[in-house]
Amino acid sequence: MTESTAKTEGSRAERRARKTRVGTVVSDKMQKTVVVAIERRVPHPVYGKMVTRTKRVKAHDEENTAKTGDTVRIMETRPLSKDKRWRVVEIVDRAR
């Protein structure tokens, strides 16, 4: 295996290992950026009742196709700006 082949295979494996999340677009007011709310359900540490935790992240949307209310799949990426660390991979479901 040559050095360049090993390098490309390593980067492919690394790309596959990136985190992906599904969330809802809550803001599309910026250019090429959307704010995505990622919800997860966790048990309360004391009472055990399921509570919803929401995390809002900024994601890069190159074509400005995602609109408020859309469900999108985002993938972790290198830092693109001060706050952007994710990019939109696909729009899973359009808002009605």
Side-chain angles (χ1 to χ4, degrees), residues 42-51 53:
V42 295
H44 187 277
V46 176
Y47 302 111
K49 179 180 178 178
M50 295 302 279
V51 290
R53 298 282 183 224

Side-chain angles (χ1 to χ4, degrees), residues 9-20 75:
E9 284 182 17
S11 63
R12 266 193 233 123
E14 184 180 305
R15 187 169 288 274
R16 277 196 296 263
R18 292 185 182 172
K19 294 178 194 168
T20 61
M75 178 183 280

